């Protein structure tokens, strides 16, 4: 009863790390109205030689995520945003997780300041000068109605974990 694990997904991320591995994070199978719909909170590590390992996490540690960004900074991948399950969205917040690419430990990061809100399908780029991840574009959900276009740019300082709204177009 319920969906079976599947790797045919939308909204997953795939990140190459310097040692040649590829790390796939989350994603969803089918659309929300399909009986096989599922959003995953797993990590699949492809060794670059044809092998792979699948890591599953408790929901309390790593929420199911789709349409997020995955930004490699040093030995960590920062997972920001998600569309997620409709009844699990926390409007006004921005989900942020950090995956250690060596240990594959996932931790949720609390942030302060002015986050983008419940964002998904956005862009993210690491700025080494400010040690921050800058996010832009995408869609934001402010309530249970349809998402709106994100017209602002936000920065997450990785040292202080503080969000700052940079501009709005």
């Amino acid at each position: 009863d319920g969906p079976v694990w599947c790797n045919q997904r939308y909204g997953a991320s795939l990140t190459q790390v310097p040692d040649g591995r590829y790390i796939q994070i989350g994603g969803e199978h089918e659309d929300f109205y399909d009986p096989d719909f599922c959003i995953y909170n797993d990590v699949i590590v492809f060794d670059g030689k044809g092998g792979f390992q699948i890591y599953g996490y408790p929901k309390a540690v790593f929420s199911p995520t789709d349409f997020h960004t995955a930004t490699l900074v040093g030995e960590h991948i920062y997972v920001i945003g998600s569309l997620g399950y409709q009844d699990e969205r926390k409007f006004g917040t921005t989900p942020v997780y950090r995956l250690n690419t060596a240990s594959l430990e996932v931790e949720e990061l609390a942030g302060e300041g002015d986050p983008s809100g419940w964002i998904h399908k956005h862009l993210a780029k690491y700025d080494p000068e400010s040690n921050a991840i800058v996010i832009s574009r995408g869609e934001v959900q402010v309530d249970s109605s349809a998402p709106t276009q994100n017209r602002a740019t936000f920065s997450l300082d990785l040292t202080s974990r503080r969000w700052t709204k940079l501009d709005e177009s």
Side-chain angles (χ1 to χ4, degrees):
D1 296 330
V4 177
W5 187 91
C6 178
N7 197 35
Q8 181 181 0
R9 302 182 185 185
Y10 304 100
S13 60
L14 186 65
T15 306
Q16 184 177 15
V17 293
D19 64 9
R21 295 177 299 151
Y22 291 83
I23 297 179
Q24 178 181 311
I25 300 172
E28 70 177 42
H29 177 70
E30 296 297 346
D31 286 323
F32 71 94
Y33 51 81
D34 190 284
D36 289 335
F37 175 65
C38 184
I39 302 174
Y40 294 94
N41 61 336
D42 58 7
V43 170
I44 304 170
V45 179
F46 300 90
D47 66 10
K49 301 171 189 164
F52 63 92
Q53 292 181 312
I54 303 167
Y55 297 84
Y57 299 87
K59 196 173 182 181
V61 172
F62 185 38
S63 295
T65 183
D66 56 346
F67 301 102
H68 56 270
T69 54
T71 307
L72 182 65
V73 180
E75 66 175 16
H76 294 98
I77 297 174
Y78 288 83
V79 181
I80 299 177
S82 177
L83 180 55
Y85 288 112
Q86 291 179 1
D87 60 345
E88 295 178 8
R89 296 175 186 153
K90 298 174 187 164
F91 304 118
T93 66
T94 303
V96 180
Y97 293 91
R98 181 170 64 185
L99 171 71
N100 183 305
T101 61
S103 69
L104 299 171
E105 178 183 342
V106 174
E107 63 181 315
E108 185 172 12
L109 301 181
E112 296 180 1
D114 192 10
S116 64
W118 201 260
I119 194 164
H120 58 280
K121 297 181 181 175
H122 55 286
L123 301 175
K125 183 176 181 178
Y126 177 63
D127 176 19
E129 201 170 295
S130 62
N131 192 38
I133 296 176
V134 178
I135 64 171
S136 60
R137 298 190 177 178
E139 298 179 352
V140 177
Q141 290 222 233
V142 295
D143 55 31
S144 59
S145 61
T148 60
Q149 291 296 317
N150 172 45
R151 301 197 185 291
T153 302
F154 297 86
S155 173
L156 175 62
D157 183 304
L158 298 181
T159 304
S160 68
R161 297 184 185 161
R162 183 163 196 77
W163 285 102
T164 303
K165 186 175 186 178
L166 301 176
D167 64 35
E168 190 161 348
S169 56

